[in-house]
Amino acid sequence: MLKFDNIVRDPVHGDIPLTAEELQILDTPEMQRLRNVRQLGAAYLVYPGAHHSRFEHSIGTAHLVSRLVTAINAVRDGESGGRHGGYDPHELRIIRLAALVHDSTHLPFGHNIEDQTGLLPRHDNLDRFQTMFSDQTDLGAALARMGVRDEILGILAPKETPEANAVPNHWRGLVSGTIDADMLDYLARDAMF
């Protein structure tokens, strides 16, 4: 079972519990810089209340992964008596950490620079994740110490990587799928702000 030692107050989801490991990840410089990467770019110039960041979104995404897992496990337990599927605490730990760092490669105004102008490759490509999760970064070193770096890379990186074969598709789908925790958080967060 995951041990939640910390609480973060979020305007969208209320109190969000975090583990000590998750707090260590959030305390890295690579994650702290996300406090200054605006979720909606320059929209705050038109909508003065649109002041949320990739940092808050990352915490919200990890929280929603837990809610999805809880709902999936409840259906499993109710309909099949626990015989089929679901997620155990180890799987939840890995998926929550992946959700927490899923936007770690984002740049300020990244969607404009990457998607609209094509000046840089997309933030979610293998090279950017490998660089961000390398031993040269505090975030990469922390993920390696926790023994989860390869599994997280497998969840977040494109399917052709060897790491991607090490994780089940249903792990990946909770963080980046048709209806995923990332989308559910940014829709609620963007709408609120």
Side-chain angles (χ1 to χ4, degrees), residues 44-90:
Y44 72 95
L45 296 170
V46 177
Y47 302 100
H51 275 281
H52 55 295
S53 71
R54 295 276 171 192
F55 184 81
E56 295 118 50
H57 165 64
S58 296
I59 295 169
T61 302
H63 173 66
L64 286 179
V65 159
S66 283
R67 291 188 58 196
L68 288 169
V69 164
T70 299
I72 290 166
N73 285 349
V75 169
R76 172 204 61 195
D77 296 342
E79 292 182 4
S80 70
R83 292 186 310 270
H84 303 293
Y87 296 87
D88 64 32
H90 169 73

Side-chain angles (χ1 to χ4, degrees), residues 7 9 43-44 55 64 71 77 79 87 90 93-94 107 119-120 126 139 142 145 149 156 161 169 175 178 185-186:
I7 299 287
R9 171 65 72 156
Y44 72 95
F55 184 81
L64 286 179
D77 296 342
E79 292 182 4
Y87 296 87
H90 169 73
R93 172 183 172 248
I94 302 296
L107 301 172
L119 291 173
L120 293 173
L126 176 61
L139 176 57
R145 272 193 313 276
R149 182 168 48 191
L156 301 177
T161 64
N169 281 333
V175 179
T178 305
D185 182 77
Y186 80 68

Side-chain angles (χ1 to χ4, degrees), residues 65-139:
V65 159
S66 283
R67 291 188 58 196
L68 288 169
V69 164
T70 299
I72 290 166
N73 285 349
V75 169
R76 172 204 61 195
D77 296 342
E79 292 182 4
S80 70
R83 292 186 310 270
H84 303 293
Y87 296 87
D88 64 32
H90 169 73
E91 292 171 314
L92 178 58
R93 172 183 172 248
I94 302 296
I95 297 165
R96 276 183 61 99
L97 288 169
L100 201 60
V101 301
H102 82 280
D103 272 355
S104 61
T105 57
H106 256 288
L107 301 172
F109 306 102
H111 285 295
N112 293 6
I113 295 169
E114 299 164 2
D115 300 337
Q116 292 163 342
T117 65
L119 291 173
L120 293 173
R122 283 187 50 86
H123 66 279
D124 55 359
N125 74 42
L126 176 61
D127 291 338
R128 295 254 295 262
F129 278 122
Q130 285 178 326
T131 299
M132 182 61 71
F133 299 161
S134 74
D135 287 330
Q136 311 313 309
T137 67
D138 289 356
L139 176 57

